[in-house]
Amino acid sequence: MQKVLVTGGCGYIGSHTIVDLINNGFDVVSVDSNIRSSTQLLEGVEKITGRKIRNYKVDLCNLEDTNAVFHENRDIVGVIHFAALKSVGESVNEPLLYFQNNLTSLVNVLKCIREYKIPNFVFSSSCSVYGNATELPVVETTPLGEAQSPYARTKQMGEQIIEDFSRVNTANSILLRYFNPVGAHPSALIGELPLGKPDNLVPVITQTAIGKIPKLTVFGSKYNTRDGSCIRDYIHVMDIANAHTKALQYLLEKRNSSNLDVFNLGTGNGVTVLEAIKAFEKVSGQQLNYEMGPERPGDVIAIYANNSKAKSLLGWDPQIGIEDSMRTAWQWEVALRDRVLQN
Ligand code: NAD
Ligand code: WQD
């Protein structure tokens, strides 16, 4: 069985990706310091897959410890690097923490890839690298705009580091630019676990509906969009997960023509905040307590992906629309509540 090292495997997207990798015949080891997670999601992965997953509780900013993990797993066919801090707001207040954590960990992983001659590398990037895109949908060749936060800058810089590394190293790398990952595994055994008060729309919706948050504020009602609210490309986390498996297979089968490739991971459909709320209300049967409010500073008005490249080259075919995304997000929120009530 081919073994893959997943960093950030205890997190939201990493845990869902481990499920998809195992379902596609890969063996997985995880490295996660649990700085922003616990082992709860990995336990969910074990229930779903019936497999025990080894997690090394290691901070990837520590080169010696990171090196020891690679030394013990030198037979891996590739690394999927999810580990990073991801809160846009926190990055504005703590820029050095973000540069230190997200870039040092990346450099250390790349050093180990070089030392142990690991052939394949997949990096979690973000549509935030496009900044305020002027042409829609955005294509991989759309010029990157001004980063709107230190977090987004760590993704732009991360991409540049990998680009420079790829010029002098033979490892084959893929940058995956996620749009807005949402939803949960249909088992409701794993899903998004925001620490503290969430900022992202879908956890705010589900937490409002379940009563953890009193009211949702729609940030902005007068934008030049079809209903005045912002437009995003909400992509189900299991579709995102599967793109990682497909990216790895693409590299393993040597279908790449260059040693660095970049792919957008979105559905290709823009959805407004009000449409997302309506979809949630429809599938959950809940009436959401929300109000229209002021614009959130730094928000991009509208962004959605052209995903043709991932479809044609990776053979990726995202299947899950906004309603099923909302349904699985809601099932996960309800499962979390029920677990608390049982304990
Ligand atoms: P997450 O916070 O759920 O998972 C990230 C994991 O990385 C956490 O478990 C955390 O403990 C771990 N980690 C962070 N720094 C580490 C370090 N130095 N050493 C070891 N482990 C460390 O986040 P997620 O939503 O699963 O995001 C995964 C990746 O995808 C991140 O790189 C993120 O920037 C990127 N991304 C996320 C989104 C999104 O909306 N969720 C969108 C675009 C890109
Ligand atoms: C979505 C829409 C809000 C909360 C962020 C990062 C980006 C990427 C994905 C990592 C916006 C509106 C939200 C609320 C609202 N992450 N909203 N009320 O801002 O598109 O992207 O997550 O790479 O880098 O910037 O996602 O979920 O915060 O917002 O009206 O309480 O929902 O204004 O239009 P965003 P989001």
Side-chain angles (χ1 to χ4, degrees):
M1 221 185 278
Q2 290 175 310
K3 184 163 74 174
V4 186
L5 191 149
V6 169
T7 75
C10 298
Y12 174 44
I13 306 174
S15 58
H16 288 78
T17 301
I18 294 177
V19 170
D20 196 76
L21 287 166
I22 289 177
N23 285 344
N24 283 284
F26 288 97
D27 190 16
V28 177
V29 285
S30 163
V31 185
D32 196 311
S33 62
N34 294 140
I35 182 175
R36 290 298 150 88
S37 56
S38 66
T39 53
Q40 181 180 340
L41 296 182
L42 221 46
E43 285 153 22
V45 171
E46 291 181 346
K47 281 194 192 133
I48 295 167
T49 61
R51 289 263 290 276
K52 190 104 197 86
I53 315 292
R54 169 92 197 258
N55 180 60
Y56 292 85
K57 195 169 173 185
V58 158
D59 180 354
L60 294 160
C61 294
N62 181 319
L63 181 58
E64 213 177 300
D65 291 352
T66 304
N67 200 295
V69 175
F70 276 81
H71 190 81
E72 222 177 287
N73 293 280
R74 40 177 70 212
D75 53 335
I76 54 175
V77 296
V79 175
I80 306 182
H81 182 49
F82 293 102
L85 300 177
K86 64 159 182 182
S87 163
V88 171
E90 184 185 44
S91 80
V92 173
N93 296 321
E94 296 278 357
L96 298 183
L97 172 70
Y98 272 67
F99 290 120
Q100 161 76 19
N101 188 74
N102 292 1
L103 300 180
T104 307
S105 56
L106 171 65
V107 169
N108 285 348
V109 168
L110 293 176
K111 280 183 177 169
C112 293
I113 284 181
R114 183 183 59 193
E115 178 161 349
Y116 294 98
K117 301 191 171 50
I118 308 300
N120 301 303
F121 180 64
V122 179
F123 177 67
S124 297
S125 189
S126 159
C127 68
S128 59
V129 299
Y130 292 112
N132 268 305
T134 46
E135 59 175 64
L136 288 175
V138 289
V139 190
E140 288 81 354
T141 48
T142 299
L144 303 191
E146 166 82 16
Q148 299 297 301
S149 67
Y151 164 76
R153 216 180 301 281
T154 69
K155 291 299 175 188
Q156 288 186 340
M157 292 165 86
E159 288 197 359
Q160 285 161 3
I161 289 168
I162 297 162
E163 206 178 309
D164 287 343
F165 176 74
S166 297
R167 281 192 244 280
V168 292
N169 188 283
T170 53
N172 293 311
S173 300
I174 285 185
L175 314 173
L176 295 177
R177 292 179 181 153
Y178 318 154
F179 281 65
N180 288 55
V182 293
H185 189 268
S187 64
L189 287 166
I190 54 173
E192 195 168 3
L193 265 183
L195 294 172
K197 192 185 169 303
D199 298 319
N200 294 121
L201 180 65
V202 174
V204 172
I205 289 178
T206 57
Q207 291 200 9
T208 304
I210 209 116
K212 288 185 192 164
I213 297 175
K215 193 183 253 185
L216 178 148
T217 302
V218 176
F219 298 140
S221 55
K222 296 193 172 59
Y223 285 114
N224 184 20
T225 60
R226 50 186 175 266
D227 62 21
S229 64
C230 290
I231 292 179
R232 296 289 184 274
D233 188 337
Y234 299 97
I235 171 87
H236 196 273
V237 65
M238 285 311 296
D239 279 330
I240 291 260
N242 182 248
H244 291 77
T245 306
K246 292 251 164 33
L248 199 63
Q249 288 165 336
Y250 172 83
L251 293 177
L252 287 167
E253 290 160 15
K254 305 207 179 310
R255 284 184 278 135
N256 53 314
S257 53
S258 129
N259 78 333
L260 179 63
D261 247 319
V262 54
F263 296 96
N264 282 342
L265 298 183
T267 63
N269 300 316
V271 170
T272 69
V273 177
L274 292 173
E275 288 164 353
I277 291 173
K278 276 198 199 88
F280 172 80
E281 290 185 325
K282 180 175 167 198
V283 299
S284 68
Q286 304 285 315
Q287 235 197 331
L288 200 70
N289 188 16
Y290 70 91
E291 64 186 359
M292 306 309 290
E295 295 173 5
R296 180 170 69 175
D299 250 341
V300 170
I301 300 169
I303 188 159
Y304 52 97
N306 175 319
N307 60 9
S308 310
K309 189 177 170 194
K311 279 183 163 171
S312 66
L313 293 185
L314 301 182
W316 181 61
D317 189 13
Q319 293 289 330
I320 310 169
I322 187 71
E323 290 190 2
D324 283 325
S325 291
M326 290 298 186
R327 184 177 289 113
T328 55
W330 179 234
Q331 286 164 343
W332 165 244
E333 190 68 63
V334 171
L336 280 177
R337 178 193 60 192
D338 292 350
R339 237 166 276 160
V340 172
L341 291 177
Q342 275 163 19
N343 290 333

